[in-house]
mmCIF file of all heavy atoms in Angstrom:
data_model
loop_
_atom_site.group_PDB
_atom_site.id
_atom_site.type_symbol
_atom_site.label_atom_id
_atom_site.label_comp_id
_atom_site.label_asym_id
_atom_site.label_seq_id
_atom_site.Cartn_x
_atom_site.Cartn_y
_atom_site.Cartn_z
ATOM 1 N N MET A 351 -4.901 55.351 59.227
ATOM 2 C CA MET A 351 -4.995 53.969 59.737
ATOM 3 C C MET A 351 -3.622 53.294 59.596
ATOM 4 O O MET A 351 -2.902 53.503 58.613
ATOM 5 C CB MET A 351 -6.046 53.243 58.904
ATOM 6 C CG MET A 351 -6.007 51.750 59.095
ATOM 7 S SD MET A 351 -7.507 50.953 58.524
ATOM 8 C CE MET A 351 -7.136 49.274 58.980
ATOM 9 N N ASP A 388 11.174 41.982 65.059
ATOM 10 C CA ASP A 388 10.856 41.958 66.482
ATOM 11 C C ASP A 388 12.058 41.682 67.406
ATOM 12 O O ASP A 388 12.012 41.854 68.579
ATOM 13 C CB ASP A 388 9.761 40.918 66.773
ATOM 14 C CG ASP A 388 8.483 41.316 66.044
ATOM 15 O OD1 ASP A 388 8.171 42.508 66.038
ATOM 16 O OD2 ASP A 388 7.819 40.402 65.468
ATOM 17 N N GLU A 391 16.544 45.884 68.312
ATOM 18 C CA GLU A 391 16.130 46.980 69.184
ATOM 19 C C GLU A 391 15.851 48.298 68.434
ATOM 20 O O GLU A 391 14.862 48.962 68.686
ATOM 21 C CB GLU A 391 17.261 47.208 70.209
ATOM 22 C CG GLU A 391 16.881 48.249 71.264
ATOM 23 C CD GLU A 391 17.955 48.405 72.315
ATOM 24 O OE1 GLU A 391 18.985 47.585 72.340
ATOM 25 O OE2 GLU A 391 17.916 49.354 73.108
ATOM 26 N N ARG A 428 15.493 50.447 53.387
ATOM 27 C CA ARG A 428 15.530 51.593 52.421
ATOM 28 C C ARG A 428 14.139 52.098 52.051
ATOM 29 O O ARG A 428 13.201 51.281 52.002
ATOM 30 C CB ARG A 428 16.197 51.120 51.167
ATOM 31 C CG ARG A 428 17.657 50.728 51.255
ATOM 32 C CD ARG A 428 18.067 49.883 50.037
ATOM 33 N NE ARG A 428 17.333 48.626 50.026
ATOM 34 C CZ ARG A 428 16.971 47.986 48.910
ATOM 35 N NH1 ARG A 428 17.273 48.451 47.727
ATOM 36 N NH2 ARG A 428 16.278 46.860 48.994
ATOM 37 N N PRO A 455 5.649 50.658 57.410
ATOM 38 C CA PRO A 455 5.470 52.082 57.116
ATOM 39 C C PRO A 455 6.618 52.870 57.812
ATOM 40 O O PRO A 455 7.107 52.471 58.873
ATOM 41 C CB PRO A 455 4.129 52.456 57.746
ATOM 42 C CG PRO A 455 3.447 51.155 58.080
ATOM 43 C CD PRO A 455 4.524 50.121 58.192
ATOM 44 N N PRO A 510 17.841 76.246 55.924
ATOM 45 C CA PRO A 510 16.537 76.225 55.253
ATOM 46 C C PRO A 510 15.673 74.999 55.617
ATOM 47 O O PRO A 510 14.470 75.032 55.506
ATOM 48 C CB PRO A 510 16.910 76.179 53.760
ATOM 49 C CG PRO A 510 18.266 76.848 53.690
ATOM 50 C CD PRO A 510 18.956 76.434 54.975
ATOM 51 N N ALA A 565 18.104 82.027 66.005
ATOM 52 C CA ALA A 565 18.755 82.979 65.078
ATOM 53 C C ALA A 565 18.122 84.348 65.259
ATOM 54 O O ALA A 565 16.930 84.477 65.444
ATOM 55 C CB ALA A 565 18.557 82.501 63.652
ATOM 56 N N SER A 574 21.917 88.628 62.326
ATOM 57 C CA SER A 574 22.722 89.296 63.350
ATOM 58 C C SER A 574 23.603 88.261 64.002
ATOM 59 O O SER A 574 24.852 88.313 63.899
ATOM 60 C CB SER A 574 21.801 89.954 64.355
ATOM 61 O OG SER A 574 22.488 90.195 65.580
ATOM 62 N N ILE A 614 30.174 48.817 40.502
ATOM 63 C CA ILE A 614 30.750 48.738 41.856
ATOM 64 C C ILE A 614 31.382 50.096 42.127
ATOM 65 O O ILE A 614 32.350 50.481 41.420
ATOM 66 C CB ILE A 614 31.821 47.645 41.921
ATOM 67 C CG1 ILE A 614 31.248 46.283 41.595
ATOM 68 C CG2 ILE A 614 32.514 47.670 43.264
ATOM 69 C CD1 ILE A 614 32.298 45.238 41.271
ATOM 70 N N VAL A 643 46.343 50.975 47.191
ATOM 71 C CA VAL A 643 46.014 50.196 45.969
ATOM 72 C C VAL A 643 45.570 48.797 46.388
ATOM 73 O O VAL A 643 44.573 48.254 45.854
ATOM 74 C CB VAL A 643 47.229 50.166 45.039
ATOM 75 C CG1 VAL A 643 47.001 49.187 43.895
ATOM 76 C CG2 VAL A 643 47.510 51.557 44.524
ATOM 77 N N GLY A 658 28.521 40.415 40.946
ATOM 78 C CA GLY A 658 28.533 40.102 39.529
ATOM 79 C C GLY A 658 28.549 41.364 38.625
ATOM 80 O O GLY A 658 28.451 41.204 37.402
ATOM 81 N N VAL A 675 47.617 56.749 40.872
ATOM 82 C CA VAL A 675 46.545 56.435 39.965
ATOM 83 C C VAL A 675 46.977 55.499 38.805
ATOM 84 O O VAL A 675 46.265 54.555 38.448
ATOM 85 C CB VAL A 675 45.896 57.716 39.405
ATOM 86 C CG1 VAL A 675 46.813 58.554 38.563
ATOM 87 C CG2 VAL A 675 44.607 57.432 38.649
ATOM 88 N N ILE A 679 45.383 51.780 38.026
ATOM 89 C CA ILE A 679 44.702 51.380 36.804
ATOM 90 C C ILE A 679 45.407 50.166 36.189
ATOM 91 O O ILE A 679 44.761 49.163 35.748
ATOM 92 C CB ILE A 679 44.643 52.540 35.760
ATOM 93 C CG1 ILE A 679 43.908 53.728 36.362
ATOM 94 C CG2 ILE A 679 44.015 52.087 34.466
ATOM 95 C CD1 ILE A 679 42.474 53.467 36.694
ATOM 96 N N LYS A 790 41.123 66.676 12.622
ATOM 97 C CA LYS A 790 42.435 66.485 11.979
ATOM 98 C C LYS A 790 42.894 65.027 12.147
ATOM 99 O O LYS A 790 43.493 64.455 11.276
ATOM 100 C CB LYS A 790 43.487 67.409 12.643
ATOM 101 C CG LYS A 790 43.495 68.815 12.094
ATOM 102 C CD LYS A 790 44.733 69.506 12.624
ATOM 103 C CE LYS A 790 44.393 70.875 13.142
ATOM 104 N NZ LYS A 790 45.306 71.430 14.086
ATOM 105 N N THR A 811 32.622 78.413 50.606
ATOM 106 C CA THR A 811 33.610 78.560 49.516
ATOM 107 C C THR A 811 34.112 79.992 49.457
ATOM 108 O O THR A 811 33.439 80.915 49.944
ATOM 109 C CB THR A 811 32.991 78.235 48.132
ATOM 110 O OG1 THR A 811 32.008 79.239 47.831
ATOM 111 C CG2 THR A 811 32.311 76.864 48.113
ATOM 112 N N LYS A 827 24.021 84.891 28.079
ATOM 113 C CA LYS A 827 25.227 84.043 27.886
ATOM 114 C C LYS A 827 24.872 82.783 27.172
ATOM 115 O O LYS A 827 25.588 82.292 26.315
ATOM 116 C CB LYS A 827 25.884 83.813 29.244
ATOM 117 C CG LYS A 827 26.514 85.052 29.836
ATOM 118 C CD LYS A 827 27.069 84.826 31.229
ATOM 119 C CE LYS A 827 27.628 86.127 31.795
ATOM 120 N NZ LYS A 827 28.150 86.006 33.166
ATOM 121 N N GLU A 853 18.045 76.971 43.044
ATOM 122 C CA GLU A 853 19.142 76.360 43.801
ATOM 123 C C GLU A 853 19.966 77.441 44.511
ATOM 124 O O GLU A 853 20.421 77.265 45.653
ATOM 125 C CB GLU A 853 19.994 75.524 42.822
ATOM 126 C CG GLU A 853 20.911 74.573 43.600
ATOM 127 C CD GLU A 853 21.834 73.762 42.649
ATOM 128 O OE1 GLU A 853 21.407 73.491 41.508
ATOM 129 O OE2 GLU A 853 22.940 73.452 43.096
ATOM 130 N N HIS A 868 8.138 74.900 52.830
ATOM 131 C CA HIS A 868 6.881 74.248 53.175
ATOM 132 C C HIS A 868 5.729 74.787 52.343
ATOM 133 O O HIS A 868 4.864 74.032 51.860
ATOM 134 C CB HIS A 868 6.627 74.536 54.685
ATOM 135 C CG HIS A 868 5.374 73.909 55.197
ATOM 136 N ND1 HIS A 868 4.289 74.594 55.650
ATOM 137 C CD2 HIS A 868 5.018 72.589 55.241
ATOM 138 C CE1 HIS A 868 3.314 73.743 55.998
ATOM 139 N NE2 HIS A 868 3.737 72.535 55.767
ATOM 140 N N THR A 869 5.730 76.108 52.142
ATOM 141 C CA THR A 869 4.645 76.706 51.322
ATOM 142 C C THR A 869 4.693 76.191 49.885
ATOM 143 O O THR A 869 3.680 75.809 49.304
ATOM 144 C CB THR A 869 4.764 78.265 51.312
ATOM 145 O OG1 THR A 869 4.857 78.697 52.676
ATOM 146 C CG2 THR A 869 3.586 78.930 50.636
ATOM 147 N N THR A 904 19.801 85.458 46.208
ATOM 148 C CA THR A 904 20.543 85.104 45.007
ATOM 149 C C THR A 904 21.485 86.212 44.507
ATOM 150 O O THR A 904 22.679 85.963 44.348
ATOM 151 C CB THR A 904 19.572 84.792 43.841
ATOM 152 O OG1 THR A 904 18.633 85.854 43.733
ATOM 153 C CG2 THR A 904 18.814 83.505 44.052
ATOM 154 N N ILE A 919 28.235 76.666 61.517
ATOM 155 C CA ILE A 919 28.600 75.294 61.050
ATOM 156 C C ILE A 919 30.049 75.365 60.578
ATOM 157 O O ILE A 919 30.372 76.121 59.651
ATOM 158 C CB ILE A 919 27.692 74.858 59.837
ATOM 159 C CG1 ILE A 919 26.212 74.960 60.219
ATOM 160 C CG2 ILE A 919 28.052 73.465 59.368
ATOM 161 C CD1 ILE A 919 25.739 74.061 61.336
ATOM 162 N N LYS A 982 49.725 73.419 70.646
ATOM 163 C CA LYS A 982 48.575 73.563 69.733
ATOM 164 C C LYS A 982 47.840 74.862 69.874
ATOM 165 O O LYS A 982 47.491 75.551 68.933
ATOM 166 C CB LYS A 982 47.667 72.381 69.916
ATOM 167 C CG LYS A 982 46.606 72.280 68.825
ATOM 168 C CD LYS A 982 45.909 70.959 68.894
ATOM 169 C CE LYS A 982 44.885 70.936 70.034
ATOM 170 N NZ LYS A 982 44.101 69.756 70.062
#
Side-chain angles (χ1 to χ4, degrees):
M351 168 163 181
D388 296 321
E391 186 178 350
R428 297 160 295 148
S574 161
I614 300 163
V643 171
V675 66
I679 299 298
K790 276 192 226 158
T811 66
K827 291 175 182 179
E853 197 184 327
H868 182 244
T869 308
T904 49
I919 305 297
K982 192 169 75 174

